[in-house]
Amino acid sequence: MVSNSTMSGHRWFAVQTLSNQEQKAKSYLDKFVEIEEMGDRVLEVLMPTETVTEVKSGKKSQRTRKFYPGYIFVQMRLYDDDGNLDQEAWYFVKDAQGVINFVGGERPVPLKKEEIDRILKQVTDAEGKERPKVEYEIGEEVKINDGPFSNLTGRIDEVDPDRGRLKVSVSIFGRFTPVDLEYWQVERVEE
């Protein structure tokens, strides 16, 4: 559960990870927060992601894409009113598998409320939704890869990014016919 609470003395910090080690660092911290009884010092570890859909060779697939590759966000206890981090918590996070360092190094600065609010909103907005890997624009030419109009090409007349749908004009028997399709059913025509 992602919380936006800035409990008294707890703030969000950005932590840099090794390339493609974000999930490993998050899992390690989540596991050892409990084992090392750090739950009062490290409240939450966040790796913001979204689900993206793409079509390769006519097959639809989903994958998780990170909003901030190379970073995780950790909600931690501050040590004093000057905003200094609890040293034990700082070492605990800094020495975790996959972690390089806090953004800011030895004296990390907590994220501003607006920054973490924006990140948390991104996560909330992405929950339960699939986004196409590719964004389309009106007037683009696309090839249909799925359904009764498979292998035909057409021009995009309308784009509905919230629903992931397109209205494409396809020439059938010499007449242009609008066809309602999902993003994953088409691909760009390379020029």
Side-chain angles (χ1 to χ4, degrees), residues 25-89:
K26 179 185 177 352
S27 297
Y28 178 91
L29 287 169
D30 286 342
K31 178 181 176 183
F32 282 96
V33 158
E34 209 170 302
I35 291 171
E36 300 289 329
E37 297 179 358
M38 297 289 284
D40 62 327
R41 294 177 171 162
V42 178
L43 287 184
E44 192 169 357
V45 181
L46 176 65
M47 182 185 76
T49 61
E50 65 182 339
T51 302
V52 293
T53 310
E54 63 184 322
V55 177
K56 284 187 180 173
S57 306
K59 297 205 184 334
K60 178 181 176 183
S61 66
Q62 290 182 335
R63 69 179 186 83
T64 301
R65 177 167 56 190
K66 300 170 203 99
F67 284 126
Y68 303 94
Y71 294 91
I72 57 174
F73 301 92
V74 183
Q75 189 178 27
M76 299 176 59
R77 181 171 83 183
L78 299 176
Y79 181 71
D80 56 33
D81 293 335
D82 293 333
N84 296 316
L85 266 174
D86 177 284
Q87 287 299 295
E88 199 172 332

Side-chain angles (χ1 to χ4, degrees), residues 7-175:
M7 287 175 51
S8 87
H10 287 83
R11 298 286 301 275
W12 285 95
F13 292 85
V15 177
Q16 187 178 14
T17 66
L18 295 168
S19 180
N20 291 319
Q21 296 289 307
E22 303 89 351
Q23 185 60 53
K24 182 183 270 187
K26 179 185 177 352
S27 297
Y28 178 91
L29 287 169
D30 286 342
K31 178 181 176 183
F32 282 96
V33 158
E34 209 170 302
I35 291 171
E36 300 289 329
E37 297 179 358
M38 297 289 284
D40 62 327
R41 294 177 171 162
V42 178
L43 287 184
E44 192 169 357
V45 181
L46 176 65
M47 182 185 76
T49 61
E50 65 182 339
T51 302
V52 293
T53 310
E54 63 184 322
V55 177
K56 284 187 180 173
S57 306
K59 297 205 184 334
K60 178 181 176 183
S61 66
Q62 290 182 335
R63 69 179 186 83
T64 301
R65 177 167 56 190
K66 300 170 203 99
F67 284 126
Y68 303 94
Y71 294 91
I72 57 174
F73 301 92
V74 183
Q75 189 178 27
M76 299 176 59
R77 181 171 83 183
L78 299 176
Y79 181 71
D80 56 33
D81 293 335
D82 293 333
N84 296 316
L85 266 174
D86 177 284
Q87 287 299 295
E88 199 172 332
W90 183 81
Y91 280 111
F92 173 75
V93 172
K94 186 182 173 313
D95 293 340
Q97 276 184 343
V99 169
I100 295 173
N101 205 348
F102 282 85
V103 172
E106 301 290 318
R107 304 246 332 131
V109 177
L111 295 173
K112 293 178 182 155
K113 182 168 178 7
E114 309 82 61
E115 292 171 322
I116 194 62
D117 286 348
R118 183 176 38 80
I119 292 166
L120 294 173
K121 183 175 179 347
Q122 261 184 315
V123 171
T124 304
D125 290 350
E127 281 177 7
K129 293 181 185 171
E130 286 180 25
R131 274 199 58 234
K133 183 175 180 183
V134 180
E135 301 290 329
Y136 293 101
E137 294 179 15
I138 293 173
E140 270 188 274
E141 192 171 335
V142 292
K143 177 182 174 194
I144 301 171
N145 294 322
D146 183 67
F149 302 102
S150 189
N151 293 322
L152 294 176
T153 58
R155 293 228 181 264
I156 298 174
D157 292 332
E158 292 178 25
V159 179
D160 184 349
D162 294 333
R163 291 180 45 232
R165 299 193 68 81
L166 303 167
K167 191 156 287 193
V168 178
S169 287
V170 180
S171 178
I172 304 171
F173 307 118
R175 303 178 80 171

